[in-house]
Amino acid sequence: MPLQPVSLGIAALTTIFTVLSSVGHLDFTYTEPVEHWDFTYTEPGQNLVKYFEKVTEGRKGLKILVPLCATTYDLIWLCEQGHSVVGADLAESAAQRIFKQYKQEPIIEDVPSIAGKIYKNASGNFKFYVGNFFRFDENLEGKFDFVWDAGAMCAVDERVSHKYMDAVRGVMQPKCITMLEFPMEGGSGAPYHFSEEQMKELYGDICDVEYMDEYVYDFSEAFSGDAQKDAIPQDFTEYDVKACLQTYSLRKRN
């Protein structure tokens, strides 16, 4: 049975990059969001909760980036731990849903540099950029203390993955910590698997790379709330959607 997409971010980005790649539009601006991105998650990522305090040494008030985040509950959980959180994704419906779930009234502004918008709360500690993440840079939010990549990098088409990594690397401040999560196994396309050697090739020039853990993730139990069962993509209903995920940490040296 082929490995299935195991988080909404992976599912959404796998779909969108496949479509864009097929028509040659690899440097996208907008695309029409699909309804099945609008799931409601009610629990944070298992290994995020397990290792976050350890890798950040219990610091508060961190500036955190969650790229290609879809509607992950991790955004809310990180904010509730006392941090400033910035999410980014293509789907405006994801921003609308996460603000509704967090019971925050969004202030919405246009952001021409990413051909999109920003949703933010009144205090400014919870933000969501809607648009082209490949154009995300430090002019928008400065640099970050922590990056949580939960199935983001592995969902990007390998032909444009350098654009994703350039965007992330460009906003990592000295000593920035990144946690990444991706499938233990991969196929010929996204979501991709990365060996420890590949991780060192991709980030070893600026970061110390450490393998942390792995666990089994069950996509079918990951969403609830006002998500409707019949809204689940057919791909997820036909297969056993459990998959083993691996977690790595990257610590930027300077």
Side-chain angles (χ1 to χ4, degrees):
M1 203 67 69
L3 184 69
Q4 295 301 299
V6 289
S7 81
L8 193 56
I10 291 177
L13 267 298
T14 299
T15 299
I16 200 60
F17 278 100
T18 299
V19 171
L20 292 170
S21 296
S22 68
V23 296
H25 297 306
L26 297 180
D27 187 12
F28 59 84
T29 51
Y30 271 121
T31 192
E32 188 67 25
V34 225
E35 287 183 4
H36 72 246
W37 295 6
D38 293 341
F39 292 141
T40 298
Y41 293 82
T42 56
E43 297 291 337
Q46 178 176 318
N47 273 2
L48 175 64
V49 174
K50 183 176 180 179
Y51 291 106
F52 181 75
E53 289 292 309
K54 176 182 177 180
V55 299
T56 61
E57 299 174 339
R59 290 180 291 157
K60 298 297 182 183
L62 299 178
K63 192 173 178 180
I64 296 176
L65 174 65
V66 187
L68 312 188
C69 59
T71 55
T72 177
Y73 189 79
D74 301 340
L75 296 166
I76 295 174
W77 184 83
L78 287 164
C79 200
E80 289 179 338
Q81 308 311 303
H83 307 288
S84 295
V85 180
V86 176
D89 202 279
L90 275 171
E92 187 167 7
S93 59
Q96 293 167 345
R97 182 167 291 255
I98 203 71
F99 269 80
K100 178 182 177 182
Q101 184 178 5
Y102 199 19
K103 296 179 172 60
Q104 300 282 315
E105 187 66 32
I107 299 168
I108 306 170
E109 299 173 354
D110 290 334
V111 185
S113 64
I114 62 167
K117 302 176 183 179
I118 181 175
Y119 281 61
K120 60 184 178 181
N121 63 357
S123 62
N125 68 333
F126 191 74
K127 301 178 181 179
F128 194 118
Y129 282 86
V130 177
N132 185 349
F133 183 73
F134 292 167
R135 300 179 186 173
F136 192 92
D137 61 30
E138 63 180 305
N139 293 318
L140 294 173
E141 292 291 336
K143 297 201 173 187
F144 291 84
D145 304 301
F146 184 87
V147 178
W148 172 229
D149 180 322
M153 184 174 77
C154 69
V156 179
D157 189 292
E158 61 184 357
R159 291 168 290 183
V160 291
S161 60
H162 64 283
K163 294 185 179 183
Y164 171 81
M165 286 186 287
D166 286 347
V168 172
R169 288 166 65 115
V171 295
M172 295 168 64
Q173 72 171 358
K175 310 300 181 184
C176 175
I177 298 163
T178 299
M179 283 179 62
L180 298 99
E181 197 166 86
F182 48 79
M184 183 176 175
E185 298 178 0
S188 58
Y192 298 98
H193 164 76
F194 303 94
S195 66
E196 186 167 350
E197 292 72 23
Q198 288 173 313
M199 290 300 301
K200 289 178 179 177
E201 289 176 7
L202 294 170
Y203 283 101
D205 59 322
I206 61 170
C207 296
D208 295 325
V209 177
E210 179 185 359
Y211 168 79
M212 300 185 72
D213 200 359
E214 62 188 50
Y215 69 98
V216 175
Y217 180 94
D218 187 348
F219 178 86
S220 66
E221 297 178 356
F223 54 88
S224 59
D226 56 355
Q228 299 298 315
K229 182 72 176 178
D230 59 6
I232 301 175
Q234 192 66 24
D235 287 347
F236 299 143
T237 61
E238 292 180 351
Y239 299 102
D240 177 2
V241 289
K242 293 180 181 179
C244 185
L245 301 183
Q246 293 186 322
T247 308
Y248 280 80
S249 72
L250 313 174
R251 188 177 296 271
K252 192 176 180 186
R253 289 187 285 272
N254 50 51

